Amino acid sequence: MIRKENDRVVYLGDTMENLSWGWVQFPKLHPMRNGNIGLYIHDDDDSWVAFDGDTAGKWLVTEDKGVTWRAATMADRAMMGTQLPNGDVLRSHPNLPASLIGVKESPWRFGNYRNPADTLDPVLPEDDNTLPHPITLTCNVWGGISKVYWLDTIPDKLIEKRFCFSRLNNGETESRYVYADVDWKYRTIVSFRPSHATRTDLEEVMLNNAGLYSDSDVVVAPDGSLYLAHYRGCGANPFTGVYEGTTNSYVLRSDDNGYTWKLRGYIPYKEPDEEKDPYAHLQSGFSEASLAFMPDGSMLSLLRTCDVFQGAPEWGPTYLSRSYDGGSTWEKPVYFKDRGALPQLLQLANGVTLAAITRPGIYVYASRDCGHTWDEVVEVMPDTDRSKLANNPPEHPNFHQWAGSCCNCTILPLDDNRALLAYSDFYVPDDAGVKHKGIRTVEIVTD
């Protein structure tokens, strides 16, 4: 059986009434080289210009498997990340968006500037301070317009194309940011108009982060190689260059302890289950993929689809896909559950696979046959209206008030049969009964 134990409040911020979306949200647990566990809490706006964990978050550490927490030191933070076979510690770090102030644009041409003899191979502009011809334009439901480019056609001086990591070398105590070359053709990148709830000094147009995201976990394979599950919006087939426009999941592998990465395979968003998801074609695609290696030698990937930018609601189904050849090819993704923001997979040493599925509510499912069947579940947070718990319950809540959590969670093993899950709760009472946005943890136990 699967059950939950020891639900604890580990951090309290300000009240929901005083904070916008993003503050005291998106918790991220990190294993540490010394056996402790670190916790990052995003404490800024939900904006691409704010996802720099050095300046926009709180860092905590527990030395007793989640019973008590303290503020993390820089030495603690250096140890947070995936321990590699060579003893190094590696943690993904996003590249900040790139300013386009003073950068020229290539003029539009009728007929999309091609003739029948042209190939799909991207071509750099002649001027390294000029943007290339875009592939296309996209628009969201708020009227925001983005131009889509081949990343290889953006001059190197304008954007960082490599992956950034925090690396703690074996035998050292201070980490440093390092960049890794990436072998991945037909990557795309979009321009966007940045937003932030409190800042007015932002550039009018920027190029989005071309690197990783803070939730991109480095996973060590049984053979010692490293894997990353990544995603790109407005994506393309990385092997043919055919532009697909959907958000796709891309799997990368490193055979040199993360110093270089090469695209291994990808999972495109095609033929979604329209019967089970009436909003299937308003979802942007597959994002926030989680990877796990199964005891039978296969790999599982759990994929998010919920996305509001094309008109779908705040919830959407998760899909599950499997690879039998180390991530080169993937079975057609199958509908898994009717929800899932930042879905999490975790393989415990006792052979049980856990899947954390959220928004609305938070549920952890268990499989004892390498992810083929999922017959056990435990509820961490209900999927009913929680807005009545607010300090001033709204008469007609929006979805965020209704759910009472960002529902993005994170999970790590505590031992062979237990895991620690961290999640946000917008209605945590203090000693005086005032409700705050907070971060909680709970232990998931498998017998």
Side-chain angles (χ1 to χ4, degrees):
M1 295 294 294
I2 180 175
R3 67 183 189 276
K4 62 180 180 179
E5 294 180 351
N6 301 321
D7 195 332
R8 300 182 175 97
V9 176
V10 302
Y11 182 80
L12 274 185
D14 205 340
T15 65
M16 184 179 182
E17 290 81 2
N18 292 334
L19 294 175
S20 302
W21 184 261
W23 276 266
V24 196
Q25 293 181 204
F26 316 136
K28 179 66 177 177
L29 291 169
H30 293 287
M32 295 175 62
R33 187 170 65 183
N34 60 2
N36 294 335
I37 296 174
L39 173 63
Y40 166 76
I41 301 165
H42 190 72
D43 202 24
D44 205 327
D45 192 23
D46 181 11
S47 168
W48 286 119
V49 298
F51 277 92
D52 179 356
D54 283 343
T55 59
K58 302 290 190 298
W59 297 81
L60 306 178
V61 64
T62 177
E63 300 173 349
D64 51 15
K65 297 188 175 182
V67 178
T68 59
W69 296 80
R70 61 170 173 80
T73 65
M74 292 301 295
D76 291 323
R77 287 167 54 176
M79 289 187 280
M80 295 182 189
T82 302
Q83 185 159 335
L84 310 185
N86 70 346
D88 290 359
V89 174
L90 204 61
R91 185 178 73 243
S92 302
H93 188 82
N95 299 335
L96 291 179
S99 172
L100 292 179
I101 292 178
V103 179
K104 297 177 289 186
E105 289 197 73
S106 294
W108 284 90
R109 299 178 188 173
F110 182 75
N112 206 23
Y113 50 82
R114 292 195 184 98
N115 64 53
D118 291 338
T119 68
L120 286 174
D121 290 335
V123 178
L124 282 164
E126 294 182 3
D127 181 353
D128 67 1
N129 197 48
T130 299
L131 289 170
H133 296 295
I135 304 169
T136 186
L137 290 177
T138 67
C139 181
N140 62 39
V141 292
W142 294 280
I145 295 175
S146 293
K147 293 180 181 179
V148 186
Y149 303 93
W150 297 116
L151 182 61
D152 287 343
T153 66
I154 303 291
D156 289 344
K157 66 168 284 188
L158 298 183
I159 192 169
E160 179 56 68
K161 303 176 183 180
R162 298 170 296 174
F163 288 168
C164 183
F165 297 93
S166 167
R167 181 182 287 270
L168 176 64
N169 289 329
N170 188 19
E172 297 183 0
T173 58
E174 293 186 11
S175 62
R176 59 184 59 87
Y177 289 120
V178 297
Y179 289 91
D181 290 329
V182 184
D183 183 359
W184 173 3
K185 197 174 182 180
Y186 302 120
R187 267 196 289 173
T188 54
I189 189 72
V190 301
S191 62
F192 75 109
R193 297 184 181 276
S195 63
H196 194 285
T198 60
R199 288 178 57 185
T200 59
D201 61 334
L202 297 173
E203 292 87 346
E204 184 177 356
V205 182
M206 304 184 81
L207 283 173
N208 208 347
N209 165 27
L212 299 167
Y213 307 123
S214 56
D215 55 51
S216 301
D217 287 327
V218 177
V219 181
V220 180
D223 66 359
S225 61
L226 308 182
Y227 279 78
L228 279 167
H230 191 34
Y231 65 94
R232 299 300 313 176
C234 304
N237 184 314
F239 303 109
T240 66
V242 173
Y243 178 72
E244 295 169 334
T246 51
T247 300
N248 302 323
S249 178
Y250 299 90
V251 179
L252 296 106
R253 177 175 171 170
S254 173
D255 291 316
D256 59 4
N257 286 293
Y259 288 101
T260 61
W261 293 85
K262 183 175 183 179
L263 186 110
R264 180 77 168 181
Y266 92 121
I267 309 174
Y269 186 68
K270 292 182 178 180
E271 301 177 1
D273 195 324
E274 295 177 291
E275 290 188 5
K276 293 182 178 179
D277 179 19
Y279 300 105
H281 288 289
L282 294 180
Q283 315 285 5
S284 68
F286 291 140
S287 64
E288 296 181 346
S290 181
L291 280 182
F293 288 87
M294 297 293 99
D296 65 0
S298 66
M299 294 172 61
L300 277 187
S301 183
L302 191 56
L303 304 144
R304 166 181 173 160
T305 65
C306 67
D307 178 87
V308 299
F309 291 96
Q310 301 304 318
E314 293 264 12
W315 58 92
T318 44
Y319 284 73
L320 195 64
S321 184
R322 190 183 300 268
S323 173
Y324 288 98
D325 58 7
S328 294
T329 60
W330 293 83
E331 293 180 339
K332 179 182 177 181
V334 296
Y335 184 98
F336 182 62
K337 301 296 176 183
D338 64 353
R339 67 199 70 191
L342 194 63
Q344 301 280 292
L345 279 175
L346 177 65
Q347 182 63 40
L348 293 175
N350 65 354
V352 175
T353 310
L354 299 178
I357 304 296
T358 73
R359 190 182 293 175
I362 299 174
Y363 298 86
V364 181
Y365 294 82
S367 172
R368 299 176 188 271
D369 58 3
C370 298
H372 293 284
T373 59
W374 303 81
D375 299 327
E376 302 172 49
V377 62
V378 62
E379 179 186 270
V380 176
M381 178 179 285
D383 59 356
T384 53
D385 184 0
R386 301 183 70 242
S387 65
K388 59 184 178 295
L389 301 174
N391 294 311
N392 302 299
E395 182 177 347
H396 184 75
N398 60 34
F399 178 77
H400 297 161
Q401 295 166 333
W402 191 94
S405 171
C406 73
C407 298
N408 294 269
C409 63
T410 173
I411 192 167
L412 278 184
L414 286 175
D415 54 36
D416 289 355
N417 71 320
R418 289 189 307 151
L420 184 69
L421 183 139
Y423 63 101
S424 71
D425 187 343
F426 295 168
Y427 306 128
V428 183
D430 62 16
D431 292 340
V434 178
K435 309 296 178 57
H436 295 252
K437 292 181 77 171
I439 302 298
R440 311 178 76 111
T441 63
V442 65
E443 296 175 20
I444 306 298
V445 183
T446 63
D447 295 321

